[in-house]
């Protein structure tokens, strides 16, 4: 029992206990509930896999697919949008980078739902955008709200900082002199980008992509507020199961499956890219 | 000194200003094909700015750079037939040694088999073990990384290879070895090398010719021999190593008078029209004790300290007049016979001193 007297163990203990009670504990409970009979509120029943069977045979694959599709689409849109901004913030803007950072970070202080309702006002029929178009060009652009594109707009808007800031860090890790060396050896801008910049920024790119992908996968507000009844995302299903349907075991099964899916994606991606090698520690 | 050949790399009035600050001022320089030319200067003398303009990472504010008569100014870095070994080496950390060396050939579209063959040739030429081809560059030692950077640059097959103090971060012994190795590689490849360093010692060992820079200007250009024996001014003389320097004025034919001591000294030669300037006496020409007695130029001082320099011993002798330190260097077998703290004469022959106007 010598290890317990190590200062590191003692020092880590409060944090470890806190993480266990606050983070691992609830996850374990969710895992436990997923094996309980339908509509029970206790963990004392005999375990069963009936919830898994019913979820798999039910039509939940639709909301799973929407979530994965929208997460992938959001990442694909965010990357080209954020990369130039991140590049500017890391390499070009100089003292103005702080201002840009503030402009992007300050909206995060306002609740996501309130910002999304702001978009509702803009996209609404006879709303800000529609009204402006009507008065200026005499064209009506109603029907923007409660569509999948509106959801995508909301997702891109809300999760932009989560792609942007890791990219800034990734890009600022590239030494300028290495890019100069590539140019000196004959590489044009595109070749410098592909051969040097992109691989060296990869840790930041990976973190940005995974972060925004996972966040969209578990997102709820965008599809509800901007999408109305257009589609149902998996987080929406989980919420309904826990609240409206009062079926904790079903909600737990969906949560476990979503966590498993996220975990699978994250670990596969991280394994494909050797971060140490990318950073140059090897 | 070899006779003037056709200009290979020519700089005409090259100037670089950053706002009000002039980093490089009106440089006129001609570098010959196949030579190893070294630009030496203290930090801030503009040598890095020079090399950055030559490889295309900076643009001159005015003036022209020509390679074999072709104006380089507007040619972007990736289109110039020049290449640089960076101070930080700037190896690609995410690529293997082989991929680093092959980079220029990959960009140029050389087929993989040919690339690999050439890379292996270069690794062998630079005495790098072949099994490091697949290693990550960060797994290699400092000396190996230097060679990889050089191999990567040579693989580009540049007309001129520039070096921005690549050896400065290495420990003394490795640096000494690589200086000579670099000169050998220069001999083997026959390419034009332009090297910059703040170490004149390094420049002396390697160079065919040296250009000494100060405050954005080239002060003197010449072979190591010329610069050592005929420094153009006190700055160059002091830059070459430790010297005894006195402010003097002319008092007659080959006679100068010290402004500080009031003594007069005989000198071998004086620049035409010399009125006032500096008298430079290198420590190794100064005699001490008995050996100083027959010398026409003498001063008296107290032997304050001695320093072992390997094959030589250096003494600090403090002038009896004003306590100024004088440096005297003797070979071990002709060491000073007295004690520290003794008052002695030190002296030198007229022809061993150098008179400079500035």
């Amino acid at each position: 029992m010598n290890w317990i007297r190590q200062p590191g163990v003692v020092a880590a203990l409060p944090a470890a206990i806190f993480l266990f009670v606050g983070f691992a504990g609830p996850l374990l409970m969710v895992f436990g509930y997923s094996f309980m009979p339908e509509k029970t509120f206790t963990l004392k029943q005999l375990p069963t896999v009936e919830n898994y069977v019913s979820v798999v045979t039910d039509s939940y694959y639709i909301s799973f697919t929407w979530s994965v599709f929208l997460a992938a689409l959001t990442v694909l849109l965010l990357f080209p949008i954020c990369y130039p901004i991140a590049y500017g913030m890391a390499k070009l803007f100089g003292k103005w980078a702080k201002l840009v950072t503030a402009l992007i970070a300050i909206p995060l202080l306002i609740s996501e739902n309130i910002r999304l309702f702001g978009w509702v006002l803009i996209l609404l029929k006879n709303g800000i955008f529609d009204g402006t178009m009507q008065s200026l060009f005499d064209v009506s652009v109603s029907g923007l709200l409660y569509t999948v594109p509106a959801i995508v707009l909301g997702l891109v808007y809300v999760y932009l900082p989560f792609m942007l800031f890791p990219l800034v860090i990734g890009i600022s890790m590239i030494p300028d002199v290495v890019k100069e060396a590539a140019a000196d050896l004959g590489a044009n801008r595109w070749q410098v980008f592909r051969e040097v910049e992109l691989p060296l920024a990869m840790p930041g790119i990976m973190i940005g992509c995974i972060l925004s992908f996972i966040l969209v996968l578990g997102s709820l507000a965008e599809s509800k507020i901007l999408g109305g009844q257009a589609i149902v995302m998996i987080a929406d299903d989980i919420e309904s199961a826990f609240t409206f349907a009062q079926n904790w075991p079903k909600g737990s099964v969906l949560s476990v499956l979503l966590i498993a899916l996220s975990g699978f994606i994250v670990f596969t991606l991280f394994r494909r890219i050797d971060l140490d090698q990318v950073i140059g520690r090897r | 000194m070899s006779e003037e050949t056709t200009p290979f790399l020519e700089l005409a009035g090259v100037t670089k200003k950053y706002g009000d600050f002039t980093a490089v001022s009106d440089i006129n320089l001609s570098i010959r094909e196949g030579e190893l030319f070294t630009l030496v200067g203290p930090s801030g003398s503009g040598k890095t700015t020079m090399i950055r303009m030559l490889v295309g990472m900076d643009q001159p504010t005015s003036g022209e750079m020509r390679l074999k008569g072709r104006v380089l100014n507007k040619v972007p870095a990736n289109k110039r037939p020049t290449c640089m070994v960076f101070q930080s080496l700037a190896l690609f950390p995410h690529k293997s040694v082989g991929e680093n060396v092959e980079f220029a050939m990959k960009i140029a579209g050389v087929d993989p088999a040919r690339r690999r063959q050439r890379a292996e040739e270069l690794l062998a030429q630079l005495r790098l073990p072949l099994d490091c081809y697949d290693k990550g560059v960060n797994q290699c030692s400092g000396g190996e990384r230097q060679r990889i950077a050089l191999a990567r640059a040579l693989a580009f097959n540049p007309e001129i290879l520039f070096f921005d103090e690549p050896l400065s971060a290495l420990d003394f012994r490795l640096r000494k070895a690589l200086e000579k190795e670099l000169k050998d590689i220069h001999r083997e490849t026959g390419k034009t090398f332009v090297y910059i360093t703040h170490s004149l010692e390094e420049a002396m060992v390697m160079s065919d010719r040296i250009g000494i820079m100060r405050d954005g200007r080239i002060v003197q250009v010449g072979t190591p021999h010329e610069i050592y024996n005929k420094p153009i001014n006190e700055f160059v003389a002091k830059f070459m190593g430790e010297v005894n320097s006195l402010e003097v004025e002319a008092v007659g034919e080959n006679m100068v008078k010290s402004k500080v001591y009031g003594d007069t000294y005989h000198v071998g030669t004086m620049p035409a029209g010399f009125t006032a300037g500096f008298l430079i006496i290198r420590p190794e020409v100064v005699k001490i004790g008995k050996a100083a007695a027959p010398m026409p130029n003498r001063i008296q001082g107290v032997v304050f300290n001695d320093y072992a320099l390997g094959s030589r011993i250096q003494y600090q002798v403090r002038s009896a007049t004003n306590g100024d330190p004088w440096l005297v260097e003797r070979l071990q077998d002709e060491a000073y016979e007295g004690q520290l703290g003794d008052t002695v004469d030190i002296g030198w022959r007229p022809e061993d001193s150098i008179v400079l106007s500035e």
Side-chain angles (χ1 to χ4, degrees):
Chain A
M1 291 295 277
N2 253 341
W3 61 272
I4 211 156
R5 295 207 193 95
Q6 298 281 322
V9 174
V10 178
L13 217 52
I17 291 169
F18 183 77
L19 273 179
F20 185 81
V21 172
F23 180 73
L27 278 182
L28 285 173
M29 278 174 70
V30 166
F31 189 70
Y33 267 112
S34 72
F35 292 101
M36 289 296 105
E38 226 175 315
K39 299 195 175 179
T40 45
F41 297 95
T42 165
L43 285 165
K44 289 176 192 158
Q45 306 282 324
L46 271 181
T48 163
V49 293
E50 64 176 26
N51 296 302
Y52 283 89
V53 174
S54 77
V55 160
V56 171
T57 51
D58 215 339
S59 59
Y60 285 108
Y61 69 92
I62 297 174
S63 46
F64 263 110
T65 309
W66 271 116
S67 284
V68 172
F69 169 73
L70 287 177
L73 182 65
T74 306
V75 169
L76 285 179
L77 290 170
L78 274 177
F79 181 71
I81 294 171
C82 291
Y83 197 91
I85 307 173
Y87 188 88
M89 288 168 72
K91 299 285 183 189
L92 303 176
F93 296 166
K95 60 180 177 181
W96 298 105
K98 279 192 183 136
L99 181 70
V100 177
T101 307
L103 287 177
I104 291 166
I106 284 171
L108 292 175
L109 300 174
I110 300 162
S111 150
E112 182 187 328
N113 286 3
I114 299 204
R115 285 182 284 144
L116 289 173
F117 279 117
W119 279 109
V120 171
L121 292 180
I122 293 170
L123 300 176
L124 200 63
K125 187 178 180 190
N126 299 325
I128 295 170
F129 184 61
D130 189 20
T132 309
M133 295 301 276
Q134 283 181 33
S135 73
L136 288 182
F137 307 106
D138 212 20
V139 277
S140 177
V141 280
S142 60
L144 294 172
L145 198 58
Y146 308 130
T147 59
V148 173
I151 301 173
V152 174
L153 174 74
L155 291 170
V156 166
Y157 164 75
V158 166
Y159 296 108
L160 182 125
F162 300 92
M163 175 68 94
L164 183 70
F165 292 123
L167 283 187
V168 173
I169 294 167
I171 293 170
S172 57
M173 276 173 21
I174 309 167
D176 288 337
V177 68
V178 176
K179 289 198 295 179
E180 286 179 341
D184 189 40
L185 290 163
N188 60 32
R189 279 184 191 191
W190 165 247
Q191 289 164 326
V192 172
F193 176 74
R194 201 189 54 205
E195 291 285 336
V196 176
E197 205 175 304
L198 207 55
L200 287 179
M202 201 44 87
I205 295 171
M206 292 293 295
I207 290 165
C209 288
I210 288 171
L211 203 58
S212 43
F213 185 88
I214 297 296
L215 286 170
V216 176
L217 211 52
S219 72
L220 176 70
E222 293 77 13
S223 67
K224 282 179 98 168
I225 295 171
L226 298 175
Q229 306 294 319
I231 57 157
V232 177
M233 286 175 82
I234 190 63
D236 206 354
D237 275 339
I238 294 174
E239 197 212 16
S240 322
F242 274 107
T243 57
F244 178 69
Q246 290 289 303
N247 193 348
W248 290 12
K250 177 160 277 179
S252 298
V253 169
L254 293 172
S255 301
V256 168
L257 291 177
L258 184 61
I259 291 167
L261 179 68
S262 315
F264 173 76
I265 290 165
V266 170
F267 285 111
T268 344
L269 285 181
F270 269 119
R271 197 172 305 147
R272 276 202 53 183
I273 299 241
D274 183 345
L275 283 180
D276 274 351
Q277 196 242 329
V278 168
I279 297 166
R281 254 190 259 137
R282 209 177 57 178
Chain B
M1 189 174 166
S2 62
E3 60 194 90
E4 210 58 43
T5 48
T6 21
F8 184 60
L9 178 66
E10 264 187 297
L11 282 77
V14 171
T15 299
K16 176 69 183 179
K17 291 182 177 168
Y18 295 103
D20 288 340
F21 175 69
T22 307
V24 164
S25 176
D26 192 25
I27 299 281
N28 295 289
L29 183 67
S30 143
I31 288 167
R32 300 169 195 151
E33 185 159 15
E35 77 174 333
L36 203 167
F37 187 92
T38 304
L39 275 172
V40 203
S43 54
S45 58
K47 55 194 195 307
T48 298
T49 307
M50 281 274 289
I51 214 164
R52 288 182 63 85
M53 289 191 288
L54 284 166
V55 293
M57 287 163 203
D58 260 329
Q59 291 303 314
T61 313
S62 59
E64 215 170 69
M65 304 177 291
R66 291 186 290 269
L67 181 64
K68 292 177 173 171
R70 173 191 176 206
V71 178
L72 280 181
N73 293 39
K74 292 277 159 58
V75 183
N78 64 327
K79 298 264 196 285
R80 288 191 195 190
T82 58
C83 196
M84 163 145 133
V85 177
F86 289 73
Q87 182 164 23
S88 63
L89 303 183
L91 295 172
F92 304 126
H94 56 299
K95 291 179 183 287
S96 70
V97 172
E99 287 169 334
N100 264 277
V101 176
E102 286 179 19
F103 185 82
M105 294 185 280
K106 184 179 177 188
I107 294 297
V110 178
D111 73 87
R114 176 80 194 88
R115 248 153 53 188
R116 169 132 202 172
Q117 186 199 344
R118 178 76 184 123
E120 287 179 351
E121 276 169 28
L122 283 164
L123 294 182
Q125 187 185 358
L126 295 175
R127 290 175 275 280
L128 278 159
L130 269 189
D131 63 6
C132 80
Y133 183 91
D134 291 314
K135 269 208 243 172
V137 287
N138 292 317
Q139 291 171 287
C140 299
S141 72
E144 284 171 343
R145 289 160 57 83
Q146 297 284 336
R147 295 190 178 100
I148 295 161
L150 183 53
R152 184 180 73 173
L154 285 170
F156 181 70
N157 197 21
E159 297 260 14
I160 304 184
L161 199 48
F162 293 97
F163 297 82
D164 182 9
E165 306 204 39
L167 304 181
S168 59
L170 297 176
D171 68 73
F172 181 78
R173 278 179 51 191
L174 185 56
R175 195 170 73 229
K176 290 284 135 202
L178 286 175
E179 279 168 10
K180 288 187 175 168
E181 208 171 290
L182 194 68
K183 191 167 184 178
D184 295 345
I185 288 159
H186 173 248
R187 190 53 48 87
E188 276 168 36
T189 57
K191 289 210 173 291
T192 311
F193 282 17
V194 176
Y195 195 97
I196 72 172
T197 177
H198 61 269
S199 158
L200 193 79
E201 212 188 340
E202 196 165 288
M204 297 288 276
V205 174
M206 295 192 298
S207 318
D208 294 321
R209 286 195 308 151
I210 295 173
I212 295 191
M213 285 194 79
R214 180 193 194 184
D215 297 338
R217 293 174 185 279
I218 290 198
V219 185
Q220 189 173 8
V221 176
T223 63
H225 189 70
E226 284 166 354
I227 289 190
Y228 187 80
N229 289 306
K230 294 182 188 132
I232 199 166
N233 59 23
E234 198 214 9
F235 170 79
V236 174
K238 282 191 163 169
F239 198 68
M240 293 299 295
E242 292 177 306
V243 292
N244 301 300
S245 170
L246 280 181
E247 272 195 74
V248 294
E249 55 196 13
V251 287
E253 181 67 18
N254 288 342
M255 286 283 285
V256 295
K257 182 179 167 190
S258 161
K259 288 182 177 172
V260 184
Y261 300 110
D263 298 344
T264 54
Y265 309 112
H266 298 272
V267 298
T269 53
M270 272 163 57
F274 177 82
T275 52
F278 297 93
L279 180 67
I280 303 291
I281 309 133
R282 294 190 190 286
E284 63 267 28
V285 303
V286 185
K287 313 287 180 198
I288 184 168
K290 283 180 198 151
M295 294 294 142
N297 302 316
R298 282 195 308 276
I299 66 158
Q300 213 171 44
V302 177
V303 184
F304 178 74
N305 217 340
D306 56 1
Y307 317 101
L309 302 182
S311 62
R312 288 163 179 271
I313 304 169
Q314 191 182 67
Y315 300 95
Q316 191 198 115
V317 178
R318 292 194 168 171
S319 150
T321 319
N322 65 353
D324 275 357
W326 282 68
L327 294 175
V328 180
E329 268 174 43
R330 298 284 77 204
L331 288 170
Q332 298 228 350
D333 54 5
E334 46 184 56
Y336 162 63
E337 60 278 2
Q339 302 290 312
L340 293 184
D342 289 355
T343 300
V344 293
D345 273 350
I346 58 173
W348 65 94
R349 296 187 305 176
E351 59 269 35
D352 285 338
S353 57
I354 303 164
V355 183
L356 298 170
S357 304
E358 47 179 320

